Amino acid sequence: MGSAQGLIDVARSFLGTTEDDPRFFELIDYYNEHTGGYDMSYYDEWCACFVSVCSLKSGNADATGTNVNCAEFRRIWREKGIYRERWETPEAGWLIDYDWQQDDIPDHIGIVAGCDGETIHVIEGNTDGEMCAEHWIPVRSWSISCFAAPNYDRS
């Protein structure tokens, strides 16, 4: 069984990974070796793959779900009963979905590493020039689509 902290620790281990880093190729290969369905290529957008691999490596795949499509994650979260609205205040270990075009189609996903009630600390893959990086965003940011609050106790 995994934990929120385990998920965050795995995410942190990828910080600084770029698309020419051996860790990037390991990430894509790990996803393809441990899931069925769509096989990622090294040319695909990889934010959801990053979240999935962090979940798999930390023992949290049952709690979070895995996929390489941000919109599909939203469906999985609803099925699992862990979907949370954008105006909620997240906790460490929650997942965050973004909708930058405001068209109700998720564009990006990340892992909440912490929240002080005003600012959310997020770790994301495929960001800031196609790398794994940290961001700090306001709790009520317009870019947030929704969250997932995995039940790590039942994973």
Side-chain angles (χ1 to χ4, degrees), residues 26-115:
E26 291 169 14
L27 182 130
I28 301 301
D29 293 343
Y30 190 91
Y31 179 85
N32 289 337
E33 291 167 9
H34 291 86
T35 61
Y38 182 80
D39 278 344
M40 286 286 294
S41 81
Y42 301 130
Y43 305 101
D44 288 330
E45 300 296 326
W46 52 279
C47 60
C49 179
F50 165 75
V51 170
S52 293
V53 169
C54 291
S55 294
L56 287 161
K57 284 183 167 261
S58 65
N60 288 305
D62 288 341
T64 63
T66 59
N67 207 281
V68 293
N69 181 296
C70 297
E72 189 63 18
F73 259 116
R74 188 187 288 184
R75 184 194 62 75
I76 291 167
W77 298 343
R78 284 188 171 118
E79 277 183 7
K80 290 182 168 294
I82 62 173
Y83 178 91
R84 298 295 181 268
E85 297 293 343
R86 65 180 304 279
W87 53 80
E88 295 190 43
T89 303
E91 299 175 13
W94 283 27
L95 306 179
I96 184 172
D97 231 346
Y98 299 93
D99 181 4
W100 294 318
Q101 278 75 42
Q102 300 297 293
D103 57 5
D104 202 36
I105 299 171
D107 299 305
H108 189 67
I109 188 172
I111 297 169
V112 175
C115 180

Side-chain angles (χ1 to χ4, degrees), residues 97-147:
D97 231 346
Y98 299 93
D99 181 4
W100 294 318
Q101 278 75 42
Q102 300 297 293
D103 57 5
D104 202 36
I105 299 171
D107 299 305
H108 189 67
I109 188 172
I111 297 169
V112 175
C115 180
D116 64 9
E118 294 180 20
T119 304
I120 305 168
H121 174 201
V122 185
I123 302 173
E124 305 163 12
N126 197 35
T127 189
D128 286 355
E130 301 173 338
M131 68 182 295
C132 181
E134 298 175 279
H135 289 121
W136 288 263
I137 61 169
V139 167
R140 303 290 179 255
S141 173
W142 63 270
S143 64
I144 298 170
S145 171
C146 63
F147 297 102

Side-chain angles (χ1 to χ4, degrees), residues 11-26:
R12 281 191 176 116
S13 75
F14 284 104
L15 286 172
T17 299
T18 61
E19 291 184 354
D20 59 358
D21 185 319
R23 293 180 298 171
F24 168 74
F25 300 104
E26 291 169 14

